[in-house]
Amino acid sequence: MVHAGDRYQKRPTIGVLVDWLDNGYQSTVLKGVISEAQANDINVFCFVGRGLEIPDRFADNANFVYNLPVPENVDGLLIFAGNLGYYNSASVVDLCHRYEPLPVVCLGQEIEGVANVVVDNEIGSYEAVNHLITEHGIHRIVYAKGPEGHLEAEQRYLGYLRALHENGIDFDPDLIVSCGFLYAEGKKCARRLLDERRVEFEAVVAASDLLAIGIAGILQERGYRIPEDIAVIGFDDLDVAAAFTPPLATVHQPKSRQGAEGVRLLLSKIRGDSTPDRVDLPTRLMVRRSCGCLSPWITGVEDQVQTDGIANLDDLRRPLPDTILSHITTPIRTSFVKLPASWPSDLLHSFVDSIRDNTSVHFLSTFNRLLDEVIAQGGKISEWQGVISAVRQVMLPALKDDQTIRRAENLFHQARVMISESTFQVQVNKEASSEEQNVLIRQLVFELVSTLHLNEQMMILSEHLPFLGIREGYLALFEDKRWDSEWSRLVMAYTPDNKLIAADEGIRFPTHQLIAADYRVTAASTSYVVLPIFLQDEQIGLLILDLCFESLSAYEIVRAVTSSAIKSEWLYRELQSYSDDLKARVQNVTAELVRSKERAETILDNSPDAILLLDSSRFIETGNSTCETILGCQSNLLAGKHPLSLVANESKDALAMALSQLSESHEPIRLEVIANHRSGHSFDAEIALAPITESGKFNGAVCMIRDITALKDLERVKDALLSTAAHELRTPLTTIRGFTEILLTRELVQDRRTRYLQYINNQSTHLGGLVDNLLDVARIQAGRGLDMSFEPVDIGEVIRMVAQSYDVAGSGHTFKLDNIDDGLRVNGDPLRLDQVVRNLVSNAIKYSPRGGTVTIRIDERDSRAEVSVRDEGIGMSPEVQAHLFERFYRADRSNSAVSGVGLGLTICKQIVEKHGGDIWAESEPGKGSTFTFSIPTVQRE
Ligand code: ADP
């Protein structure tokens, strides 16, 4: 691989700093630069920015491109100082000194400390003004002096002042207008003179052709004839000057030569030759119709030339003296056109041959070849009218007889027709190619802006630009989006043989290489245009294209469209990633919402209460699934109903009042109602209403309906217990109190006294049992459970003891013990088991008021002892059986009922379950009941 540095050593590379490409002045100077560069086989990088400190808001950002030339990429710099300093000539001075140690040559403005190619501006305008005064007798001459403070403009102004002074004409400040160099500024100047100052004047000399044309246009609009009423002279000798009607007199400055001299001076500096730091170029007045003169090509026909030593045609066929040759070449000012050095003598010799052979072929074909070459190199054909005049001046003294002279005049005439035809052809071709170019540029722009994908944009560039004659192109993006990024990425490269399109990755290369070293075409010297890609204040990258003079107007458009296409692509990507991000966030939030909704629904649906959401008009909007259990109605069927429809008539008023109070006070409310189940039955319910407010306004409510039947029942049971317990306690107490009173107040026989004491003892035992039961239940309810200590217990023995105690008590029932003698043992608490059996036997007696047999039986089944107590008493309905083991449950709560508090079976169930067993009842009303419990046995030995 060849290192970039080595290559530069082989073929020098120069940088050119220029503010604009397709401007008449810059493009012509540039032509001189490029043709000289090619002649010397060197590369050129044209860094195209804007004028320094240009007042446009973002255009100044283009000037980062002037920071790029460094010794790594160029060997020297040619700076269009006059153009870059258009807005601020001081800043260009700083710029030119910034590149040390690189050799720098400046054009258009002389800068101290660097090398300069200087045009004699002062003499040019002096000649123009002097010409008007001395040749045309004009004294009141307006001077349009160009931008204030611009160095070249000031030099030209000095020429004006000197000419006035030398001719003894007074200076009139009213005749001086200062403005820019451009066409529109000229128009402004003309209006200022005609409408504001209303000054009298006979001529206008302007510091540039564009300025002169702008002024002349307005003068013509106002009816002034040029030059009859007002003569006009410009400066620069642009093509547009010659094309103006009338043709504009101007000061010729050697533009392309300026470029060529600049390159030559720079090369000698690069090589370290000891050349002077300054090259001076002359200017020359070009009189034309607008100053009141005829074109010198017309007037020059009459001029006599010194043609010593040439007396006849033979003299002209020999090698010609330099004076004659240089006379022939003088009209040619376009220095970039390269013709063979022998062309003047070739032309003269071919003329002599044509005269001698009496044929136009020799001369016309030679002249035709020359014209073709000039056209091919983009030279000025009109200059060749001057050449023909010069040839004629040289020839005429050598032509002796009338016939030869006539033959010669015919040849001159044919040559001039040939020039006219070629001018016309060139004009038509120019128009056609500029039209074609416009179409190509339009197509390119249209296609570029219709895609947002960088890859496609670059594909379009690489396909279209070659049609515009731009054969090589490179697009690099700054890695840090700033010109001083150390690295760039080459994302597009096209050459006649290669193409790279890689928007995503690209080739990473050091920014100072400008074109990634491996991709650059190295075969021939090439001139590149380095265009800054930027948008507003963003620095994006560089578009580097080879320089094609036919398409100069395309570069700025391509630069601008590429910048905005890349930026649009970035924005599009940003927008997409933003929208993807947004989408992901929305998805997350939605998922979170769904989760929390599901959680809320789970909580709501698992709530034991029906929960309804009421709207602002207090109608039901929705409800949880518990509604179905509590109200017998699915929540969707409730939607749209009024909550009043859910309560019984007697509760409607209370609920209606609560609802209206809720919307006014915004305070939660609780009330108890009788609610309706859809099946028709009513139940006790508590309703809790909580308002929903939004910005202080009532916007609905949450209505919670709780079934409180069980609570109410419990209350009722408790009420019943209180009366039952009071009654149950009072009966034995009354008995105890009665007998103790008797014992205390009377003398009784021993027998009776013993019996009374027996009564008292029985009743207090009964009382004790009652109190024990209440304590047990209290303990169960408090969650402390019953005290128990387990041991192997002979269950038969327990039953025997209980039965015996009741037998002794003499209840009047017959006791039958069945299958209880085989010593079956269980693991249990003997006292608690006694309590269970005693309870069941006591109930069997209590609830068989007409006596009968109480049968107690043990069965051993699956390692369990099943103990059943059967009576022949009142029995129980299935309804009673369903509630038997509930606390305080009693089938008969009347005063006439058998005594009891409804706790015995509750305690039995607790005890049996603690033994790992079950208890149940079987019964039929009027036929007696059987209560059975089963508990695990201890394994027999
Ligand atoms: P109490 O007997 O103190 O009322 P229990 O818990 O022992 O309390 O019994 C609860 C209810 O079960 C009794 O009120 C009674 O209605 C019914 N009951 C219990 N045992 C029998 C039985 N052997 N025959 C008929 N009904 C019974």
Side-chain angles (χ1 to χ4, degrees):
M1 192 177 81
V2 184
H3 188 265
D6 303 338
R7 199 159 48 232
Y8 294 138
Q9 270 167 25
K10 261 196 230 157
R11 179 183 290 140
T13 297
I14 61 165
V16 176
L17 306 193
V18 61
D19 66 331
W20 207 259
L21 285 180
D22 61 339
N23 189 305
Y25 172 83
Q26 284 93 321
S27 63
T28 315
V29 179
L30 208 55
K31 267 189 190 162
V33 172
I34 302 304
S35 84
E36 190 63 27
Q38 278 166 359
N40 286 283
D41 190 33
I42 60 175
N43 292 318
V44 180
F45 277 115
C46 284
F47 298 89
V48 185
R50 292 284 179 276
L52 299 177
E53 297 185 21
I54 185 168
D56 296 12
R57 216 171 130 222
F58 293 114
D60 198 35
N61 196 22
N63 294 342
F64 73 75
V65 80
Y66 300 142
N67 298 326
L68 298 170
V70 282
E72 284 87 350
N73 52 39
V74 294
D75 300 298
L77 275 180
L78 194 61
I79 301 180
F80 280 50
N83 300 108
L84 263 56
Y86 186 90
Y87 300 99
N88 185 333
S89 47
S91 56
V92 81
V93 177
D94 295 341
L95 181 82
C96 293
H97 289 117
R98 200 196 290 170
Y99 301 102
E100 274 164 29
L102 278 176
V104 167
V105 171
C106 282
L107 305 179
Q109 176 174 335
E110 195 176 348
I111 308 262
E112 251 180 81
V114 297
N116 291 280
V117 174
V118 180
V119 167
D120 199 337
N121 287 292
E122 189 188 326
I123 289 189
S125 54
Y126 168 82
E127 278 182 359
V129 177
N130 195 51
H131 173 77
L132 288 172
I133 298 168
T134 55
E135 300 290 323
H136 300 285
I138 292 173
H139 285 198
R140 288 194 60 77
I141 303 170
V142 162
Y143 190 76
K145 73 181 263 205
E148 202 66 60
H150 189 276
L151 215 74
E152 287 198 297
E154 291 301 330
Q155 287 167 348
R156 292 172 197 179
Y157 181 48
L158 284 179
Y160 168 79
L161 294 177
R162 183 154 70 90
L164 290 191
H165 179 73
E166 284 182 8
N167 288 287
I169 295 171
D170 289 341
F171 171 75
D172 179 357
D174 273 353
L175 295 180
I176 308 301
V177 273
S178 68
C179 40
F181 273 136
L182 304 177
Y183 178 72
E185 288 152 342
K187 287 181 150 190
K188 266 191 229 156
C189 286
R191 292 199 187 100
R192 207 178 310 152
L193 288 165
L194 298 173
D195 303 333
E196 294 167 23
R197 297 198 191 158
R198 298 169 191 276
V199 283
E200 294 272 322
F201 57 95
E202 303 158 280
V204 175
V205 174
S208 80
D209 284 344
L210 294 177
L211 206 47
I213 289 171
I215 294 172
I218 294 288
L219 289 175
Q220 286 173 326
E221 251 177 53
R222 303 288 177 95
Y224 293 97
R225 289 168 307 154
I226 297 172
E228 290 80 357
D229 301 327
I230 297 173
V232 180
I233 302 184
F235 203 111
D236 285 340
D237 190 20
L238 299 186
D239 286 350
V240 284
F244 190 68
T245 316
L248 186 73
T250 183
V251 176
H252 171 78
Q253 60 162 325
K255 294 178 286 296
S256 52
R257 217 183 120 197
Q258 214 178 327
E261 292 291 348
V263 173
R264 275 199 282 275
L265 185 55
L266 183 59
L267 277 179
S268 67
K269 293 280 162 203
I270 292 171
R271 285 193 293 260
D273 301 348
S274 58
T275 39
D277 276 347
R278 182 185 161 114
V279 172
D280 280 284
L281 296 177
T283 52
R284 188 156 33 116
L285 177 65
M286 306 271 299
V287 295
R288 285 189 190 130
R289 284 251 319 284
S290 76
C291 72
C293 292
L294 287 175
S295 157
W297 298 324
I298 300 168
T299 55
V301 170
E302 307 295 334
D303 293 350
Q304 292 297 314
V305 185
Q306 200 67 30
T307 52
D308 299 339
I310 296 183
N312 51 46
L313 289 178
D314 286 340
D315 296 335
L316 282 166
R317 201 59 190 85
R318 285 193 281 271
L320 293 159
D322 281 350
T323 47
I324 288 188
L325 292 179
S326 80
H327 182 68
I328 302 289
T329 55
T330 305
I332 305 297
R333 296 194 193 88
T334 320
S335 66
F336 61 82
V337 176
K338 304 284 179 220
L339 296 173
S342 63
W343 76 263
S345 53
D346 291 348
L347 192 65
L348 287 172
H349 291 161
S350 72
F351 189 89
V352 174
D353 293 346
S354 273
I355 296 285
R356 278 199 179 143
D357 299 352
N358 193 13
T359 165
S360 55
V361 175
H362 306 308
F363 176 64
L364 292 184
S365 62
T366 306
F367 189 59
N368 200 19
R369 266 200 307 279
L370 282 170
L371 279 188
D372 284 350
E373 193 52 45
V374 171
I375 292 171
Q377 294 188 34
K380 255 194 215 170
I381 302 170
S382 58
E383 292 172 342
W384 290 78
Q385 292 282 13
V387 174
I388 294 299
S389 297
V391 172
R392 187 170 173 276
Q393 285 164 348
V394 171
M395 284 295 166
L396 281 179
L399 304 172
K400 300 298 174 208
D401 59 294
D402 284 354
Q403 201 187 351
T404 323
I405 292 174
R406 206 172 324 116
R407 218 179 285 155
E409 289 293 6
N410 279 345
L411 282 176
F412 293 133
H413 184 69
Q414 281 171 315
R416 289 197 197 280
V417 171
M418 207 179 258
I419 292 172
S420 308
E421 273 180 353
S422 296
T423 310
F424 179 69
Q425 275 168 4
V426 167
Q427 188 60 30
V428 171
N429 283 339
K430 233 187 198 167
E431 278 167 22
S433 79
S434 105
E435 203 160 291
E436 190 189 330
Q437 219 181 61
N438 283 343
V439 171
L440 289 171
I441 293 174
R442 265 206 306 277
Q443 261 176 4
L444 168 65
V445 170
F446 180 76
E447 290 203 20
L448 266 187
V449 298
S450 23
T451 173
L452 279 172
H453 298 289
L454 192 52
N455 264 337
E456 282 175 29
Q457 287 163 349
M458 293 185 307
M459 192 59 87
I460 292 165
L461 280 177
S462 65
E463 277 168 7
H464 282 67
L465 290 178
F467 287 110
L468 284 162
I470 302 170
R471 294 157 310 145
E472 263 182 71
Y474 307 89
L475 176 64
L477 306 182
F478 299 136
E479 212 164 62
D480 306 328
K481 299 192 177 172
R482 281 188 48 83
W483 71 268
D484 54 2
S485 302
E486 196 184 343
W487 295 91
S488 290
R489 284 186 304 116
L490 179 71
V491 290
M492 177 198 78
Y494 77 86
T495 66
D497 324 304
N498 246 328
K499 192 180 277 194
L500 162 89
I501 306 279
D504 293 334
E505 281 301 314
I507 309 275
R508 199 163 180 260
F509 71 97
T511 303
H512 68 71
Q513 283 184 358
L514 303 177
I515 297 173
D518 294 345
Y519 271 82
R520 192 164 157 193
V521 174
T522 54
S525 71
T526 318
S527 303
Y528 295 103
V529 177
V530 182
L531 298 159
I533 298 292
F534 68 99
L535 207 74
Q536 302 196 332
D537 51 5
E538 263 184 298
Q539 298 168 351
I540 298 171
L542 295 176
L543 179 64
I544 301 182
L545 304 173
D546 74 324
L547 181 57
C548 167
F549 277 100
E550 282 67 46
S551 297
L552 284 188
S553 56
Y555 288 88
E556 180 55 24
I557 298 173
V558 169
R559 184 206 67 70
V561 182
T562 307
S563 300
S564 79
I566 293 175
K567 183 66 192 171
S568 319
E569 207 256 357
W570 285 358
L571 285 177
Y572 175 71
R573 277 198 203 191
E574 248 173 60
L575 206 71
Q576 258 204 333
S577 89
Y578 180 70
S579 106
D580 288 349
D581 186 46
L582 210 67
K583 221 179 343 205
R585 280 187 205 202
V586 168
Q587 271 168 357
N588 285 345
V589 171
T590 312
E592 185 52 42
L593 276 176
V594 167
R595 270 199 298 279
S596 44
K597 183 171 173 267
E598 281 170 359
R599 271 201 298 271
E601 271 174 5
T602 312
I603 294 171
L604 287 176
D605 290 344
N606 285 314
S607 157
D609 304 324
I611 297 171
L612 301 169
L613 189 68
L614 308 186
D615 63 19
S616 56
S617 319
R618 286 160 288 178
F619 280 87
I620 298 169
E621 226 172 71
T622 176
N624 66 349
S625 62
T626 317
C627 290
E628 200 172 346
T629 331
I630 292 196
L631 300 167
C633 196
Q634 278 176 1
S635 55
N636 56 341
L637 297 177
L638 287 169
K641 286 191 175 166
H642 198 278
L644 286 184
S645 66
L646 303 177
V647 300
N649 287 340
E650 60 259 46
S651 297
K652 285 197 188 327
D653 285 349
L655 180 57
M657 201 139 80
L659 285 169
S660 70
Q661 199 184 327
L662 180 75
S663 55
E664 281 158 24
S665 70
H666 298 184
E667 296 286 338
I669 298 175
R670 282 177 184 275
L671 71 159
E672 283 185 10
V673 295
I674 306 295
N676 291 329
H677 192 272
R678 195 158 177 245
S679 63
H681 79 265
S682 322
F683 58 95
D684 289 301
E686 181 186 44
I687 292 188
L689 294 165
I692 299 169
T693 55
E694 240 178 60
S695 325
K697 270 179 69 184
F698 177 79
N699 197 31
V702 176
C703 170
M704 209 169 78
I705 303 176
R706 175 172 292 174
D707 183 350
I708 53 168
T709 310
L711 213 69
K712 283 281 172 190
D713 282 352
L714 199 66
E715 267 174 31
R716 278 190 281 273
V717 169
K718 272 187 176 157
D719 290 348
L721 164 76
L722 279 178
S723 59
T724 319
H727 174 76
E728 288 295 315
L729 290 170
R730 192 189 297 129
T731 317
L733 275 176
T734 312
T735 313
I736 291 167
R737 197 184 319 129
F739 283 111
T740 46
E741 263 175 23
I742 294 172
L743 285 170
L744 287 170
T745 53
R746 292 202 208 153
E747 283 293 327
L748 294 176
V749 290
Q750 185 59 36
D751 191 25
R752 190 173 260 213
R753 195 183 151 82
T754 309
R755 204 163 66 241
Y756 285 1
L757 283 171
Q758 190 64 52
Y759 284 144
I760 291 170
N761 187 20
N762 280 351
Q763 289 306 322
S764 45
T765 309
H766 181 60
L767 260 183
L770 206 60
V771 171
D772 280 349
N773 271 357
L774 283 171
L775 284 175
D776 278 349
V777 166
R779 215 176 273 138
I780 291 166
Q781 194 150 9
R784 278 184 282 141
L786 301 170
D787 298 336
M788 289 199 214
S789 62
F790 289 84
E791 57 186 77
V793 179
D794 183 342
I795 187 71
E797 183 59 24
V798 174
I799 291 168
R800 260 194 302 280
M801 294 300 289
V802 175
Q804 199 177 350
S805 73
Y806 278 96
D807 220 2
V808 173
S811 65
H813 291 74
T814 309
F815 287 93
K816 188 174 166 199
L817 303 185
D818 227 2
N819 194 29
I820 55 172
D821 293 328
D822 71 348
L824 182 64
R825 295 202 304 167
V826 295
N827 185 27
D829 181 326
L831 291 178
R832 290 296 185 188
L833 290 175
D834 175 275
Q835 195 179 349
V836 173
V837 177
R838 196 171 291 281
N839 225 312
L840 296 181
V841 173
S842 141
N843 279 353
I845 294 167
K846 269 193 332 194
Y847 298 104
S848 40
R850 284 186 305 220
T853 306
V854 174
T855 310
I856 310 173
R857 178 184 164 82
I858 302 179
D859 286 296
E860 191 184 357
R861 221 168 256 141
D862 301 333
S863 307
R864 295 168 90 88
E866 263 186 25
V867 179
S868 59
V869 178
R870 183 153 58 85
D871 63 57
E872 294 166 350
I874 60 171
M876 297 174 291
S877 68
E879 162 90 58
V880 171
Q881 288 177 50
H883 297 286
L884 273 180
F885 298 98
E886 289 170 13
R887 267 179 298 147
F888 304 115
Y889 179 79
R890 307 206 69 225
D892 184 0
R893 295 188 179 282
S894 63
N895 281 342
S896 57
V898 188
S899 70
V901 286
L903 290 177
L905 286 178
T906 309
I907 296 166
C908 287
K909 186 168 157 63
Q910 273 294 316
I911 295 171
V912 170
E913 281 176 358
K914 285 273 178 194
H915 280 79
D918 282 328
I919 181 163
W920 66 93
E922 292 152 295
S923 178
E924 224 180 297
K927 290 197 176 165
S929 309
T930 304
F931 281 83
T932 311
F933 69 88
S934 106
I935 47 176
T937 53
V938 176
Q939 218 145 30
R940 292 175 188 267
E941 282 119 31

